[in-house]
Amino acid sequence: PWSEMIALHAAVGDAIHTMYNNITTMTQPRARPLVCGPTEAFPEYQLNDFRTWRDGGQLSEFLEGTVRNSSIDCLSTHIYSTYQFTPNATGRDSVTDPFSSHYVAREVNNVDAILDMQEAAMTEASGAPAAILISEYGAAFKDKLLYYHPAHDFWILRAVNIKLMTFLERPDRILKALPFIVDKATWH
C-alpha cells in the first residue's frame, strides 16, 4: 500500500541523513546526500481533477509523510511522451506510416505543468524551492503490437531533445535528467 511506501521512503531518508550527520561530526564536512522519491512513471496529474495533489491524495500524503519532516529532499519522476494510434484508425495494418495523422502523441506539452506542480508542492511543504530529479525521460509507444519502424527512432530523439530544452530552462531546479534511449527497440 501507498502508506507503506511513504513510511519506507521516510525511514530510508532519515537513516541516510542520520548516517551523514554522524559521519560529518567525525570527519571533514562533505556534501549532504539528497534523497529523492517517489519516482512516478508517466505522471498524469490532471486526471480526477488533480486529486493526487489534494488532501488525502497520494502525492499530498507523500509530501506530508516525507518532505515536511525533511526525510526527502527532492521529488523524482519519469517523463515520457507516449505515441499511439487513435481509436478511429481503420485497422492496425492499415496505418503503417508512423508519420500519418492517425499516429498521435501525448507530447511534452504538460512537462512544464508537471515540473511547476512539483516545485510548488515542494516549496509549500519545505518552505524553500527544491531540486527535481528526472530519473528517466524520453518516448514510449503505447501500442505494444506496433512493429519497429526506423521512424520510431526519430520520435524518440525528438521527444528527448524537446524535453532537454525544457529542462535546460530550469538549471537551478533540475538535479539530474537522464534520457532513456535504447538501440533499435524491437520489443515495443
Side-chain angles (χ1 to χ4, degrees):
W2 189 249
S3 59
E4 289 178 19
M5 191 185 83
I6 293 170
L8 177 65
H9 273 80
V12 169
D14 291 342
I16 290 171
H17 293 144
T18 299
M19 185 180 297
Y20 166 80
N21 292 337
N22 292 341
I23 290 172
T24 55
T25 58
M26 299 179 300
T27 64
Q28 286 188 343
R30 54 180 101 181
R32 181 177 189 249
L34 296 177
V35 180
C36 304
T39 316
E40 296 178 289
F42 300 95
E44 294 185 313
Y45 299 144
Q46 74 281 5
L47 297 179
N48 299 313
D49 195 29
F50 299 89
R51 184 174 60 201
T52 192
W53 291 107
R54 300 183 189 285
D55 287 341
Q58 286 186 329
L59 283 172
S60 175
E61 289 179 356
F62 183 84
L63 293 172
E64 187 65 38
T66 60
V67 175
R68 282 189 170 75
N69 62 15
S70 301
S71 299
I72 296 291
D73 303 299
C74 64
L75 291 177
S76 60
T77 191
H78 300 329
I79 298 180
Y80 282 92
S81 300
T82 51
Y83 302 105
Q84 59 194 8
F85 284 109
T86 58
N88 62 356
T90 57
R92 198 170 299 286
D93 295 331
S94 66
V95 182
T96 57
D97 177 11
F99 293 105
S100 77
S101 62
H102 294 291
Y103 202 58
V104 298
R106 177 183 171 264
E107 190 49 271
V108 74
N109 302 348
N110 66 348
V111 171
D112 277 325
I114 289 168
L115 297 176
D116 285 347
M117 284 187 275
Q118 288 185 351
E119 288 176 7
M122 288 293 289
T123 300
E124 181 183 336
S126 67
I132 295 174
L133 173 68
I134 310 296
S135 48
E136 288 181 18
Y137 71 95
F141 296 88
K142 288 289 188 179
D143 188 340
K144 299 301 180 192
L145 299 177
L146 184 65
Y147 292 107
Y148 174 80
H149 188 286
H152 296 169
D153 298 336
F154 162 79
W155 286 108
I156 291 168
L157 291 176
R158 177 182 179 271
V160 165
N161 287 331
I162 289 171
K163 287 173 188 60
L164 175 62
M165 295 300 113
T166 301
F167 301 149
L168 289 173
E169 293 175 359
R170 300 169 189 255
D172 58 329
R173 297 285 191 274
I174 303 294
L175 182 63
K176 288 185 181 181
L178 306 169
F180 185 78
I181 303 171
V182 295
D183 180 34
K184 192 176 178 182
T186 58
W187 40 262
H188 51 86

